[in-house]
Amino acid sequence: MADAPFLLEIDGLHKSFGDLEVLKGISLRVRPREVIIVIGPSGSGKSTLLRCINRLEEPTRGVIRVDGVELSARGVDLNRARKDIGMVFQAFNLYPHLTALGNVALALRKVLRMSRQEAEARGRRMLERVGLADKASAHPGELSGGQQQRVAIARALALEPKLMLFDEPTSALDPELVGGVLRVMRDLRDEGMTMVVVTHEMSFARDGGDRVLFMDGGEVVEEGPPSTIFRNPAHQRTREFLQRVLHA
Amino acid sequence: MRRLAETFFNAEVIATYLPALLSGFRVTLELAAAVVTLGILLGLALAMLRAFRFRLLNGLIVAFVDVFRTLPQLVVMVFAYFGLPYAGITISAFAAAVLGLALVLAAFAEEAFWAAITAIPRGQWEAARSTGLSFGQALASVVMPQAVRIAIPLLTNRTIAITKGTALASVISVPEILDKAQSAMSISANASPLIVGAGLYLAIFGPFVVVSRWLERRYGWII
Amino acid sequence: MQDFIANFANLESLARIYPLLLQGLEVTVLLSLVTVPLAVALGLFVAVLYSFHLRFLNPLLILWVDALRAFPVLVLLVLVFYGLPFVGINLPQFAAAVLALALNSGGYYGEIFRAGIEAVPRGQTEAARSTGLSAWQAAFSVVLPQAVRHVLAPLAGNTLELIKTTSIATAVALPELLRSARVAQETTYNPTPLTAAALIYFLLLWPLTRLVARLERKMVASR
Ligand SMILES: Nc1ncnc2c1ncn2[C@@H]1O[C@H](COP(=O)(O)OP(=O)(O)O)[C@@H](O)[C@H]1O
Ligand SMILES: [Mg+2]
């Protein structure tokens, strides 16, 4: 299925928590190498959308296909599928009891069943890729927020995912640490990684994204190339939101 | 199935031995009440004494705590019942059971109260002393009221666990629930008395477990 | 005083019965070596199962743990040893003791591990699952190593309690340390074996008591 025109296909995705309907029918097609930026007010369902894509949340209804494989189908090896989808969390979620290298190597050993040497060799390469080769033996507590997030990116990249999901990767960081993380994400884009990025970093959204989705109230209100969305949004809601974040 | 019911829930057997089991129930309650009262009070007294920091006394208190935290309850109990008479001290089985369990509880209680006392900020002592209270007064009316509140959640589970040890008294033939249930079981060749006995224990300790779970939620403390 | 020593630390008596005590010690150690890992494994299993938040299972797990907390372990042992034969299951004393102790203590370990797991942020599991680890892999490689650090003190404390509790096997005539000491005391008409047994328990377990106390202090300090 390597030639599938779309790497990620979402059709009519609904998600409710009890009575609260958080996603109200999302559909999305993402081509290989495409970078999708998701923006929208807090509580609009952005995180839930990302979490449904790798089924950290169980969709209530709808179909999700990654590289042609339907994730919600019965009998899908979810752990196998997840290895193809990297996820980077707002709160990093590094394992505090393991070193940076240990964080990156764990899934390589447990999911890909690599030997310790293989896993650590690849882990080191990944840390190098995010500019942290010298921090391999540091524990998360000894790293800055920006460094922790780069380790988390390395942890996801190590599995050689086809798709990377970022959930506000920089919003827990001090401003001076944001740049380093964005640089890594730009490198990834330049290498051709397919990414879905929830972010409030408008600079990255503008020059890093191929397409911008504006979500509000569990729906995609509008989508289009960054130039259109940022300069000439079609909807009042989008305009108001942009006004708020751009002039905050 | 019938046979099973007859072995474990035999109404006739239960009716015959219920009075004995209930008398055992009363003895268990008495044991438990005596152990908790004595153990907690002794532990509290020791912790307060320790606050005065007399070196020799503190050494003795620490030794006491270590010994009775380390020895199994049953060993203490058996020693009190079978050992002490050789020293000319003969006590009833009931007293030996209470002594054995209360000493162990006192050791744990002292630890909990002492931990709580040391957790009270210096400023509390200083404020109390600055208003002219003596050391003992500051301890009794400022520090202890706060310390007891801290110590309670530390102590509930331990108190339940040690008080459940009243069942151990059956080993030295105190006529409590388990003792009665076991003799009824061997006379009637039927397991029903034991099941009823087990139910009686649940009736006593079940409510405490529920309360301790609530305390844990509230104070976020385990064991 | 002479009398006292002649009674409680009678070397002659000790020389006669020490092989018996050694045998008893061996049984106690063996019982502990078998039961502790079993109970820990049971507790781990229950706690990890609980952490999966399976709606129908969790109330049952809580019920089991609470029932055990409300239930004296000696009663459980008597049920297993004297009750099971009524349904045709005859366990030898050692096996009965292992079963009762592991069931009881497994509940406590389960409770401790559960509290530790709950102290680990949910994001840890999510991060692990997002890299393709299975639920069990995430629990054992990511969550548990962190959880254990939170609950080292109660874990050590529970282990100490479990080893102490092996002494209840006396009640089903398993010749462990306490039972052997009792037999020796009754054959020599002298309490020295009891003193010796208490001393052995103390020497065996005191290091663990100190360790527990140290871990508890650290835990209180880190709050
Ligand atoms: N596990 C959950 N249980 C109940 N409600 C949830 C849960 N997760 C998210 N929600 C709710 O779903 C809505 C969307 O949340 P989220 O996807 O995190 O929004 P965003 O990431 O856009 O800020 C919010 O109202 C939030 O309270
Ligand atoms: Mg969010």
Side-chain angles (χ1 to χ4, degrees):
Chain A
M1 297 299 285
D3 305 329
F6 297 108
L7 186 63
L8 170 66
E9 296 168 85
I10 303 177
D11 277 311
L13 174 63
H14 287 257
K15 172 66 187 175
S16 302
F17 293 107
D19 289 340
L20 180 68
E21 190 172 28
V22 174
L23 296 180
K24 302 171 181 166
I26 306 274
S27 296
L28 175 66
R29 298 246 175 305
V30 181
R31 293 176 194 285
R33 308 175 74 88
E34 225 184 345
V35 174
I36 306 289
I37 307 289
V38 182
I39 59 174
S42 159
S44 57
K46 308 180 297 292
S47 297
T48 307
L49 172 62
L50 289 196
R51 294 158 61 83
C52 281
I53 293 176
N54 68 357
R55 270 183 66 192
L56 283 177
E57 299 290 355
E58 208 57 48
T60 312
R61 200 141 44 85
V63 178
I64 297 171
R65 264 184 232 99
V66 175
D67 203 18
V69 177
E70 187 177 335
L71 272 185
S72 39
R74 263 170 197 281
V76 168
D77 182 347
L78 200 53
N79 300 323
R80 208 70 211 168
R82 279 190 180 130
K83 144 190 123 41
D84 290 335
I85 310 172
M87 176 132 184
V88 176
F89 300 83
Q90 180 174 355
F92 328 139
N93 294 348
L94 286 188
Y95 314 134
H97 64 300
L98 300 178
T99 60
L101 185 57
N103 266 273
V104 180
L106 181 67
L108 297 178
R109 299 185 55 201
K110 301 280 172 182
V111 181
L112 300 190
R113 308 239 164 253
M114 287 185 175
S115 71
R116 179 183 282 272
Q117 280 107 323
E118 279 178 293
E120 294 195 341
R122 189 191 287 188
R124 280 180 206 284
R125 281 205 303 282
M126 292 300 144
L127 287 175
E128 205 168 315
R129 205 164 149 190
V130 298
L132 291 173
D134 55 328
K135 298 290 184 191
S137 53
H139 279 83
E142 300 160 337
L143 298 174
S144 75
Q147 291 171 329
Q148 288 189 50
Q149 191 60 298
R150 279 144 66 197
V151 173
I153 294 174
R155 175 173 72 184
L157 287 179
L159 293 152
E160 300 179 331
K162 297 171 181 157
L163 171 67
M164 285 283 288
L165 309 174
F166 291 83
D167 191 0
E168 303 200 32
T170 57
S171 57
L173 297 179
D174 292 334
E176 73 271 19
L177 300 176
V178 169
V181 173
L182 292 183
R183 201 167 315 121
V184 170
M185 292 170 65
R186 287 202 174 92
D187 288 347
L188 267 182
R189 178 203 55 193
D190 296 342
E191 289 162 22
M193 176 62 75
T194 313
M195 318 204 290
V196 179
V197 183
V198 174
T199 186
H200 291 141
E201 284 301 322
M202 290 305 158
S203 66
F204 182 79
R206 235 179 313 222
D207 57 42
D210 297 309
R211 211 158 17 118
V212 176
L213 254 63
F214 172 65
M215 283 184 69
D216 194 9
E219 295 166 319
V220 176
V221 175
E222 77 175 285
E223 62 170 288
S227 50
T228 315
I229 298 284
F230 286 114
R231 272 194 230 115
N232 199 6
H235 287 259
Q236 180 64 23
R237 279 198 277 176
T238 317
R239 230 167 290 150
E240 281 168 9
F241 172 76
L242 287 173
Q243 206 126 54
R244 250 181 298 140
V245 291
L246 292 178
H247 306 288
Chain B
M1 198 62 218
R2 269 278 305 270
R3 228 178 59 80
L4 216 60
E6 256 168 41
T7 309
F8 289 96
F9 303 97
N10 190 314
E12 213 173 304
V13 173
I14 292 174
T16 313
Y17 293 99
L18 196 58
L21 288 169
L22 286 179
S23 83
F25 182 70
R26 217 188 49 232
V27 173
T28 294
L29 283 180
E30 287 166 4
L31 267 176
V35 167
V36 172
T37 315
L38 262 175
I40 301 272
L41 286 182
L42 181 57
L44 186 65
L46 289 175
M48 288 177 73
L49 272 179
R50 192 168 169 189
F52 286 89
R53 296 178 197 269
F54 300 125
R55 192 169 306 170
L56 182 68
L57 189 62
N58 278 14
L60 289 176
I61 293 174
V62 171
F64 170 88
V65 168
D66 267 24
V67 166
F68 288 102
R69 267 191 82 152
T70 305
L71 289 182
Q73 301 167 22
L74 189 55
V75 172
V76 180
M77 203 185 274
V78 164
F79 196 89
Y81 189 61
F82 295 107
L84 286 185
Y86 292 95
I89 308 167
T90 302
I91 54 178
S92 70
F94 185 91
V98 171
L99 187 67
L101 294 176
L103 288 177
V104 173
L105 179 55
F108 282 101
E110 194 281 335
E111 285 252 316
F113 286 122
W114 178 245
I117 289 173
T118 54
I120 304 294
R122 269 187 82 75
Q124 292 294 311
W125 286 100
E126 287 165 359
R129 297 307 295 277
S130 75
T131 60
L133 266 59
S134 71
F135 183 90
Q137 287 170 323
L139 179 65
S141 47
V142 175
V143 173
M144 284 322 288
Q146 304 179 57
V148 167
R149 219 159 300 168
I150 298 176
I152 282 176
L154 298 178
L155 258 177
T156 37
N157 274 328
R158 189 66 71 181
T159 306
I160 295 173
I162 292 172
T163 312
K164 280 194 308 184
T166 52
L168 299 176
S170 64
V171 174
I172 56 173
S173 304
V174 175
E176 47 68 75
I177 300 173
L178 184 59
D179 178 71
K180 292 288 187 191
Q182 273 191 279
S183 52
M185 181 170 66
S186 53
I187 298 169
S188 65
N190 186 289
S192 307
L194 197 55
I195 301 296
V196 175
L200 291 176
Y201 279 110
L202 281 185
I204 298 177
F205 294 108
F208 288 103
V209 170
V210 173
V211 169
S212 82
R213 209 172 255 297
W214 178 80
L215 280 172
E216 264 162 39
R217 282 252 153 83
R218 179 118 194 239
Y219 295 94
W221 196 280
I222 22 143
I223 297 295
Chain C
M1 195 63 200
Q2 282 281 264
D3 247 20
F4 189 81
I5 290 176
N7 256 329
F8 284 88
N10 187 316
L11 288 182
E12 204 181 309
S13 149
L14 201 59
R16 208 138 51 87
I17 51 88
Y18 94 88
L20 198 59
L21 285 182
L22 277 189
Q23 272 170 24
L25 177 61
E26 213 171 285
V27 175
T28 291
V29 169
L30 192 64
L31 189 55
S32 304
L33 285 180
V34 173
T35 312
V36 171
L38 214 61
V40 168
L42 186 63
L44 267 179
F45 179 72
V46 169
V48 169
L49 211 57
Y50 187 92
S51 77
F52 295 161
H53 296 283
L54 304 172
R55 196 161 314 160
F56 299 102
L57 196 58
N58 280 10
L60 291 179
L61 292 176
I62 292 263
L63 193 69
W64 175 57
V65 170
D66 274 3
L68 286 172
R69 288 212 291 186
F71 211 70
V73 56
L74 181 56
V75 178
L76 194 62
L77 176 59
V78 169
L79 264 175
V80 167
F81 188 69
Y82 294 107
L84 284 185
F86 284 103
V87 289
I89 304 173
N90 283 291
L91 290 179
Q93 294 136 332
F94 191 86
V98 168
L99 183 61
L101 287 168
L103 274 178
N104 176 71
S105 194
Y108 281 102
Y109 278 120
E111 195 60 11
I112 293 167
F113 283 123
R114 191 174 71 83
I117 289 173
E118 272 172 14
V120 177
R122 199 137 173 69
Q124 291 292 313
T125 308
E126 294 184 345
R129 296 304 303 274
S130 80
T131 61
L133 266 63
S134 72
W136 288 95
Q137 284 175 327
F140 277 92
S141 307
V142 172
V143 178
L144 274 176
Q146 300 177 52
V148 167
R149 272 160 225 227
H150 290 291
V151 290
L152 270 183
L155 279 180
N158 197 49
T159 305
L160 173 63
E161 287 309 309
L162 176 51
I163 299 176
K164 283 160 64 175
T165 310
T166 58
S167 59
I168 66 165
T170 291
V172 292
L174 182 72
E176 44 67 73
L177 185 50
L178 178 58
R179 177 82 192 173
S180 306
R182 279 275 294 131
V183 170
Q185 173 235 327
E186 293 198 324
T187 50
T188 58
Y189 301 102
N190 181 290
T192 305
L194 289 181
T195 321
L199 199 66
I200 293 173
Y201 272 115
F202 187 78
L203 292 178
L204 195 67
L205 296 176
W206 190 58
L208 195 49
T209 306
R210 294 312 318 166
L211 176 72
V212 172
R214 225 185 44 236
L215 291 172
E216 277 173 356
R217 257 200 307 283
K218 252 205 228 151
M219 192 166 89
V220 171
S222 72
R223 259 154 216 274

